[in-house]
PDB file of all heavy atoms in Angstrom:
ATOM      1  N   GLY A  54     -14.167  15.482  -7.462  1.00 92.00           N
ATOM      2  CA  GLY A  54     -14.214  15.339  -8.914  1.00 92.00           C
ATOM      3  C   GLY A  54     -13.146  14.433  -9.492  1.00 92.00           C
ATOM      4  O   GLY A  54     -13.238  14.041 -10.655  1.00 92.00           O
ATOM      5  N   ILE A  55     -12.123  14.087  -8.683  1.00 92.00           N
ATOM      6  CA  ILE A  55     -11.073  13.215  -9.213  1.00 92.00           C
ATOM      7  C   ILE A  55     -11.557  11.769  -9.244  1.00 92.00           C
ATOM      8  O   ILE A  55     -12.440  11.366  -8.486  1.00 92.00           O
ATOM      9  CB  ILE A  55      -9.754  13.318  -8.419  1.00 92.00           C
ATOM     10  CG1 ILE A  55      -9.909  12.725  -7.009  1.00 92.00           C
ATOM     11  CG2 ILE A  55      -9.261  14.749  -8.350  1.00 92.00           C
ATOM     12  CD1 ILE A  55      -8.578  12.562  -6.290  1.00 92.00           C
ATOM     13  N   VAL A  56     -10.967  10.995 -10.139  1.00 94.00           N
ATOM     14  CA  VAL A  56     -11.236   9.562 -10.222  1.00 94.00           C
ATOM     15  C   VAL A  56     -10.226   8.836  -9.357  1.00 94.00           C
ATOM     16  O   VAL A  56      -9.013   9.025  -9.499  1.00 94.00           O
ATOM     17  CB  VAL A  56     -11.155   9.069 -11.681  1.00 94.00           C
ATOM     18  CG1 VAL A  56     -11.343   7.550 -11.738  1.00 94.00           C
ATOM     19  CG2 VAL A  56     -12.201   9.766 -12.535  1.00 94.00           C
ATOM     20  N   PHE A  57     -10.713   8.017  -8.442  1.00 94.00           N
ATOM     21  CA  PHE A  57      -9.846   7.253  -7.551  1.00 94.00           C
ATOM     22  C   PHE A  57      -9.257   6.034  -8.274  1.00 94.00           C
ATOM     23  O   PHE A  57      -9.732   5.625  -9.331  1.00 94.00           O
ATOM     24  CB  PHE A  57     -10.634   6.768  -6.347  1.00 94.00           C
ATOM     25  CG  PHE A  57     -10.782   7.777  -5.233  1.00 94.00           C
ATOM     26  CD1 PHE A  57     -11.574   7.493  -4.129  1.00 94.00           C
ATOM     27  CD2 PHE A  57     -10.139   8.995  -5.270  1.00 94.00           C
ATOM     28  CE1 PHE A  57     -11.716   8.395  -3.086  1.00 94.00           C
ATOM     29  CE2 PHE A  57     -10.267   9.910  -4.245  1.00 94.00           C
ATOM     30  CZ  PHE A  57     -11.061   9.608  -3.138  1.00 94.00           C
ATOM     31  N   GLY A  58      -8.237   5.443  -7.651  1.00 93.00           N
ATOM     32  CA  GLY A  58      -7.742   4.151  -8.101  1.00 93.00           C
ATOM     33  C   GLY A  58      -6.324   4.147  -8.598  1.00 93.00           C
ATOM     34  O   GLY A  58      -6.058   4.611  -9.706  1.00 93.00           O
ATOM     35  N   HIS A  59      -5.389   3.606  -7.771  1.00 93.00           N
ATOM     36  CA  HIS A  59      -3.986   3.547  -8.181  1.00 93.00           C
ATOM     37  C   HIS A  59      -3.450   2.116  -8.228  1.00 93.00           C
ATOM     38  O   HIS A  59      -2.271   1.915  -8.449  1.00 93.00           O
ATOM     39  CB  HIS A  59      -3.117   4.406  -7.245  1.00 93.00           C
ATOM     40  CG  HIS A  59      -3.223   4.038  -5.799  1.00 93.00           C
ATOM     41  ND1 HIS A  59      -4.073   4.675  -4.926  1.00 93.00           N
ATOM     42  CD2 HIS A  59      -2.582   3.091  -5.087  1.00 93.00           C
ATOM     43  CE1 HIS A  59      -3.946   4.149  -3.723  1.00 93.00           C
ATOM     44  NE2 HIS A  59      -3.055   3.171  -3.794  1.00 93.00           N
ATOM     45  N   GLU A  60      -4.310   1.119  -8.007  1.00 95.00           N
ATOM     46  CA  GLU A  60      -3.883  -0.284  -8.085  1.00 95.00           C
ATOM     47  C   GLU A  60      -4.649  -0.932  -9.231  1.00 95.00           C
ATOM     48  O   GLU A  60      -5.756  -1.425  -9.057  1.00 95.00           O
ATOM     49  CB  GLU A  60      -4.169  -1.011  -6.770  1.00 95.00           C
ATOM     50  CG  GLU A  60      -3.477  -0.385  -5.565  1.00 95.00           C
ATOM     51  CD  GLU A  60      -3.716  -1.150  -4.275  1.00 95.00           C
ATOM     52  OE1 GLU A  60      -4.247  -2.282  -4.328  1.00 95.00           O
ATOM     53  OE2 GLU A  60      -3.375  -0.626  -3.208  1.00 95.00           O
ATOM     54  N   ASN A  61      -4.028  -0.947 -10.426  1.00 97.00           N
ATOM     55  CA  ASN A  61      -4.780  -1.265 -11.636  1.00 97.00           C
ATOM     56  C   ASN A  61      -4.090  -2.317 -12.501  1.00 97.00           C
ATOM     57  O   ASN A  61      -2.869  -2.308 -12.652  1.00 97.00           O
ATOM     58  CB  ASN A  61      -4.956   0.015 -12.475  1.00 97.00           C
ATOM     59  CG  ASN A  61      -5.482   1.179 -11.657  1.00 97.00           C
ATOM     60  OD1 ASN A  61      -6.480   1.058 -10.963  1.00 97.00           O
ATOM     61  ND2 ASN A  61      -4.779   2.312 -11.711  1.00 97.00           N
ATOM     62  N   MET A  62      -4.912  -3.194 -13.071  1.00 98.00           N
ATOM     63  CA  MET A  62      -4.407  -4.130 -14.073  1.00 98.00           C
ATOM     64  C   MET A  62      -5.477  -4.333 -15.126  1.00 98.00           C
ATOM     65  O   MET A  62      -6.642  -4.014 -14.930  1.00 98.00           O
ATOM     66  CB  MET A  62      -4.003  -5.460 -13.431  1.00 98.00           C
ATOM     67  CG  MET A  62      -5.143  -6.292 -12.891  1.00 98.00           C
ATOM     68  SD  MET A  62      -4.597  -7.906 -12.266  1.00 98.00           S
ATOM     69  CE  MET A  62      -4.110  -8.727 -13.784  1.00 98.00           C
ATOM     70  N   GLY A  63      -5.040  -4.836 -16.283  1.00 98.00           N
ATOM     71  CA  GLY A  63      -5.999  -5.052 -17.354  1.00 98.00           C
ATOM     72  C   GLY A  63      -5.324  -5.447 -18.650  1.00 98.00           C
ATOM     73  O   GLY A  63      -4.197  -5.977 -18.654  1.00 98.00           O
ATOM     74  N   ILE A  64      -5.997  -5.165 -19.750  1.00 98.00           N
ATOM     75  CA  ILE A  64      -5.554  -5.564 -21.079  1.00 98.00           C
ATOM     76  C   ILE A  64      -5.282  -4.318 -21.920  1.00 98.00           C
ATOM     77  O   ILE A  64      -6.115  -3.411 -21.985  1.00 98.00           O
ATOM     78  CB  ILE A  64      -6.621  -6.431 -21.781  1.00 98.00           C
ATOM     79  CG1 ILE A  64      -7.017  -7.635 -20.912  1.00 98.00           C
ATOM     80  CG2 ILE A  64      -6.119  -6.896 -23.145  1.00 98.00           C
ATOM     81  CD1 ILE A  64      -5.879  -8.614 -20.620  1.00 98.00           C
ATOM     82  N   VAL A  65      -4.114  -4.272 -22.554  1.00 98.00           N
ATOM     83  CA  VAL A  65      -3.771  -3.138 -23.408  1.00 98.00           C
ATOM     84  C   VAL A  65      -4.727  -3.111 -24.598  1.00 98.00           C
ATOM     85  O   VAL A  65      -4.846  -4.096 -25.345  1.00 98.00           O
ATOM     86  CB  VAL A  65      -2.312  -3.226 -23.898  1.00 98.00           C
ATOM     87  CG1 VAL A  65      -2.012  -2.101 -24.884  1.00 98.00           C
ATOM     88  CG2 VAL A  65      -1.339  -3.179 -22.716  1.00 98.00           C
ATOM     89  N   GLU A  66      -5.416  -1.982 -24.758  1.00 98.00           N
ATOM     90  CA  GLU A  66      -6.390  -1.858 -25.853  1.00 98.00           C
ATOM     91  C   GLU A  66      -5.900  -0.938 -26.966  1.00 98.00           C
ATOM     92  O   GLU A  66      -6.235  -1.126 -28.125  1.00 98.00           O
ATOM     93  CB  GLU A  66      -7.720  -1.341 -25.307  1.00 98.00           C
ATOM     94  CG  GLU A  66      -8.795  -1.250 -26.369  1.00 98.00           C
ATOM     95  CD  GLU A  66     -10.168  -1.005 -25.796  1.00 98.00           C
ATOM     96  OE1 GLU A  66     -10.822  -1.980 -25.374  1.00 98.00           O
ATOM     97  OE2 GLU A  66     -10.585   0.167 -25.783  1.00 98.00           O
ATOM     98  N   GLU A  67      -5.111   0.082 -26.614  1.00 98.00           N
ATOM     99  CA  GLU A  67      -4.650   1.056 -27.598  1.00 98.00           C
ATOM    100  C   GLU A  67      -3.235   1.465 -27.237  1.00 98.00           C
ATOM    101  O   GLU A  67      -2.905   1.612 -26.058  1.00 98.00           O
ATOM    102  CB  GLU A  67      -5.586   2.267 -27.581  1.00 98.00           C
ATOM    103  CG  GLU A  67      -5.350   3.285 -28.674  1.00 98.00           C
ATOM    104  CD  GLU A  67      -6.337   4.440 -28.611  1.00 98.00           C
ATOM    105  OE1 GLU A  67      -7.296   4.375 -27.814  1.00 98.00           O
ATOM    106  OE2 GLU A  67      -6.131   5.421 -29.356  1.00 98.00           O
ATOM    107  N   ILE A  68      -2.377   1.640 -28.250  1.00 98.00           N
ATOM    108  CA  ILE A  68      -0.984   1.996 -27.974  1.00 98.00           C
ATOM    109  C   ILE A  68      -0.602   3.262 -28.743  1.00 98.00           C
ATOM    110  O   ILE A  68      -1.054   3.477 -29.867  1.00 98.00           O
ATOM    111  CB  ILE A  68      -0.006   0.847 -28.323  1.00 98.00           C
ATOM    112  CG1 ILE A  68      -0.086   0.457 -29.792  1.00 98.00           C
ATOM    113  CG2 ILE A  68      -0.264  -0.368 -27.443  1.00 98.00           C
ATOM    114  CD1 ILE A  68       0.968  -0.557 -30.205  1.00 98.00           C
ATOM    115  N   GLY A  69       0.245   4.075 -28.103  1.00 98.00           N
ATOM    116  CA  GLY A  69       0.759   5.262 -28.760  1.00 98.00           C
ATOM    117  C   GLY A  69       1.848   4.918 -29.757  1.00 98.00           C
ATOM    118  O   GLY A  69       2.448   3.831 -29.716  1.00 98.00           O
ATOM    119  N   SER A  70       2.153   5.854 -30.614  1.00 98.00           N
ATOM    120  CA  SER A  70       3.110   5.599 -31.700  1.00 98.00           C
ATOM    121  C   SER A  70       4.531   5.389 -31.197  1.00 98.00           C
ATOM    122  O   SER A  70       5.360   4.817 -31.908  1.00 98.00           O
ATOM    123  CB  SER A  70       3.083   6.769 -32.685  1.00 98.00           C
ATOM    124  OG  SER A  70       3.445   7.988 -32.037  1.00 98.00           O
ATOM    125  N   GLY A  71       4.821   5.835 -29.973  1.00 98.00           N
ATOM    126  CA  GLY A  71       6.170   5.668 -29.440  1.00 98.00           C
ATOM    127  C   GLY A  71       6.368   4.414 -28.620  1.00 98.00           C
ATOM    128  O   GLY A  71       7.479   4.140 -28.147  1.00 98.00           O
TER     129      GLY A  71
END
Side-chain angles (χ1 to χ4, degrees):
I55 69 169
V56 176
F57 277 175
H59 56 265
E60 301 183 11
N61 310 309
M62 69 176 291
I64 306 298
V65 175
E66 183 169 277
E67 188 179 352
I68 59 173
S70 60

